Amino acid sequence: MMGKYSRLQISLYSGLVSFLLILTTLFLYMYAIGKKQMIAQLFAARVFYIPLFIHIIVIALTVSGVVYFLVTFLEKRQLGKIEEKLQSLASGNYEQPFLDVKISQNQEMLLVDHDIKRIKEKLVSMSRELQQLSSLPQMVDGTTREKILEEERHRLARELHDSVSQQLFAAMMMMSALNEQSQQSEELEPYKKQLAMVADIINAAQSEMRALLLHLRPINLEGKSLRQGIEQLLKELQTKIQIQLKWDVQDIQVSASIEDQLFRVVQELLSNTLRHAKANELEVYLKIVGQNILLRVIDDGVGFEEKDEHAGSYGLRNIRERIAGVGGSTKIISFKGQGTSIEIKVPVVKDAAAFLEKGVPAGSPD
């Protein structure tokens, strides 16, 4: 940040200049008082039993070190402000007031500050356009894509519930009866272990079916607020599966398209947790933090290594795409055997919100 010279070069030049200035001053002084053999005097004269020449070198090196640390401190101070701005942009805080404050009067720093502001404007514009596009219905043969998906989900959920789910329930009842008979009959004694294994398999299949039916529920809020929709999902989940739930969901006011996407993401995350995580506890948090909607889902399940290909079975790619579609970001932290934490941030772009409430894209007449 110091132009074409590095910190080390500046400190070395400062030390060299200090060395030459001290030497020049001493030579002029010795010349003025009539001293001869001035160079020899530098080695002959001693201060604390150390030649004067060594003292001059130490002073020059000290000046060089002080300049190095001073330049480093100033650079870090300036770079710290730049880093703060970039971190703010990366986290979606596009409206932070300090983004409009000049970080330095240095020409290079002013150019960097200007570039950061241009990046901020482009990010705001991209988020606005993404949120506007996500609110527009996608038509397929005269019918909206969302309507087609909703009807197909209803059909699949109905067929699964009326056929497979009922058959699994009947199989579980029969297995329960066989298990009771095995407790009383000696003939079935050798098959107790196998019967228990089959019962566990059927029970796991029932849990999988519940998760699939949850995932195939209507994909819109059906007139409810986002908070009401999420709380209804969680309360229904409590009645269908043995899992400890904790949630803190605020009543946030955002556009209908973002509400819908967040609701679908919560559905997807709950379904993934039931089908894959094998968790005993699940926490869901939704709130407004600064200029962002923050959604966090935490479970204590089996977890996974983020580089592991198996992570794709969690449907996280689909979640990332949904959130990216409204200009948001997804952060996943997971370790095998230690559960998973998924944090989603969606920026609330003010001018986009006005257009989305009207249901028209930017530039369209009211």
Side-chain angles (χ1 to χ4, degrees):
M1 304 305 296
M2 301 299 297
K4 60 182 179 179
Y5 299 110
S6 67
R7 286 176 289 179
L8 184 59
Q9 287 176 316
I10 292 173
S11 61
L12 289 176
Y13 292 153
S14 300
L16 181 60
V17 169
S18 300
F19 179 76
L20 294 175
L21 283 174
I22 295 171
L23 277 182
T24 303
T25 304
L26 284 174
F27 286 156
L28 290 173
Y29 174 74
M30 287 188 285
Y31 180 79
I33 63 177
K35 289 278 187 181
K36 297 182 179 180
Q37 297 181 339
M38 290 181 282
I39 295 178
Q41 290 290 334
L42 292 176
F43 295 93
R46 292 176 178 271
V47 179
F48 300 115
Y49 307 104
I50 299 174
L52 184 60
F53 185 75
I54 302 299
H55 283 282
I56 296 173
I57 293 176
V58 170
I59 293 171
L61 290 175
T62 302
V63 171
S64 179
V66 170
V67 170
Y68 180 83
F69 286 111
L70 183 61
V71 171
T72 301
F73 172 76
L74 293 175
E75 274 194 353
K76 285 187 176 180
R77 187 176 178 183
Q78 293 177 338
L79 291 173
K81 294 180 180 180
I82 293 176
E83 184 181 4
E84 187 180 2
K85 289 187 173 188
L86 293 176
Q87 286 178 347
S88 177
L89 290 179
S91 61
N93 296 326
Y94 303 145
E95 306 299 330
Q96 288 283 4
F98 70 81
L99 286 172
D100 296 323
V101 179
K102 286 184 169 52
I103 54 181
S104 171
Q105 294 303 316
N106 179 281
Q107 185 62 31
E108 290 183 357
M109 299 299 290
L110 290 176
L111 290 174
V112 171
D113 191 55
H114 177 68
D115 289 340
I116 291 175
K117 288 180 179 178
R118 290 180 59 191
I119 293 172
K120 182 199 82 168
E121 291 169 0
K122 287 183 179 180
L123 287 172
V124 170
S125 177
M126 289 174 62
S127 295
R128 183 188 304 119
E129 291 175 7
L130 284 171
Q131 292 178 10
Q132 290 168 5
L133 287 173
S134 69
S135 69
L136 298 177
Q138 301 180 26
M139 307 299 291
V140 179
D141 295 332
T143 307
T144 64
R145 178 173 174 269
E146 287 74 15
K147 185 66 175 176
I148 294 172
L149 289 174
E150 183 179 348
E151 291 176 355
E152 187 64 15
R153 283 169 177 261
H154 273 297
R155 185 185 67 80
L156 289 173
R158 201 165 43 243
E159 291 183 2
L160 286 172
H161 183 270
D162 294 343
S163 58
V164 182
S165 184
Q166 297 297 331
Q167 291 169 4
L168 284 173
F169 179 75
M172 193 63 196
M173 296 298 293
M174 293 172 64
M175 286 304 304
S176 297
L178 285 173
N179 279 324
E180 288 181 4
Q181 291 180 15
S182 69
Q183 301 296 327
Q184 303 170 359
S185 173
E186 294 182 359
E187 295 180 359
L188 294 175
E189 183 71 28
Y191 305 104
K192 279 185 178 181
K193 187 175 180 180
Q194 288 87 341
L195 289 172
M197 289 176 62
V198 174
D200 289 340
I201 293 172
I202 295 175
N203 189 47
Q206 281 188 308
S207 296
E208 179 81 7
M209 183 58 60
R210 292 189 192 103
L212 285 171
L213 291 174
L214 174 69
H215 184 65
L216 290 171
R217 286 189 49 165
I219 58 174
N220 53 41
L221 290 169
E222 299 179 328
K224 296 184 290 291
S225 69
L226 180 59
R227 177 183 180 181
Q228 292 172 333
I230 292 175
E231 287 185 342
Q232 182 179 337
L233 275 178
L234 295 170
K235 288 175 182 176
E236 289 184 9
L237 189 61
Q238 275 185 322
T239 64
K240 294 181 179 179
I241 193 166
Q242 294 298 319
I243 187 170
Q244 185 176 348
L245 291 175
K246 179 182 178 182
W247 68 81
D248 182 8
V249 180
Q250 292 182 357
D251 195 6
I252 61 176
Q253 301 295 323
V254 291
S255 65
S257 63
I258 295 178
E259 278 191 340
D260 190 49
Q261 290 287 16
L262 288 173
F263 182 67
R264 297 183 199 185
V265 165
V266 172
Q267 270 189 312
E268 184 88 32
L269 290 173
L270 292 179
S271 175
N272 287 336
T273 301
L274 295 181
R275 296 170 63 191
H276 304 290
K278 300 178 183 177
N280 296 314
E281 296 182 6
L282 177 67
E283 301 176 22
V284 179
Y285 302 98
L286 178 71
K287 57 186 69 178
I288 291 284
V289 179
Q291 297 295 324
N292 290 281
I293 303 167
L294 177 64
L295 170 65
R296 184 180 288 125
V297 178
I298 306 168
D299 68 61
D300 65 345
V302 295
F304 59 91
E305 296 290 343
E306 293 185 45
K307 60 182 179 182
D308 191 351
E309 291 295 327
H310 181 68
S313 65
Y314 279 69
L316 297 178
R317 183 180 303 174
N318 184 39
I319 290 170
R320 283 195 177 100
E321 289 175 356
R322 286 189 184 279
I323 296 303
V326 291
S329 60
T330 305
K331 181 180 180 182
I332 300 169
I333 301 174
S334 183
F335 300 98
K336 282 192 174 180
Q338 299 183 38
T340 302
S341 171
I342 298 176
E343 182 178 281
I344 290 168
K345 286 184 178 180
V346 177
V348 181
V349 183
K350 293 181 179 177
D351 8 356
F355 282 110
L356 292 173
E357 290 300 326
K358 296 176 183 178
V360 296
S364 299
D366 292 344

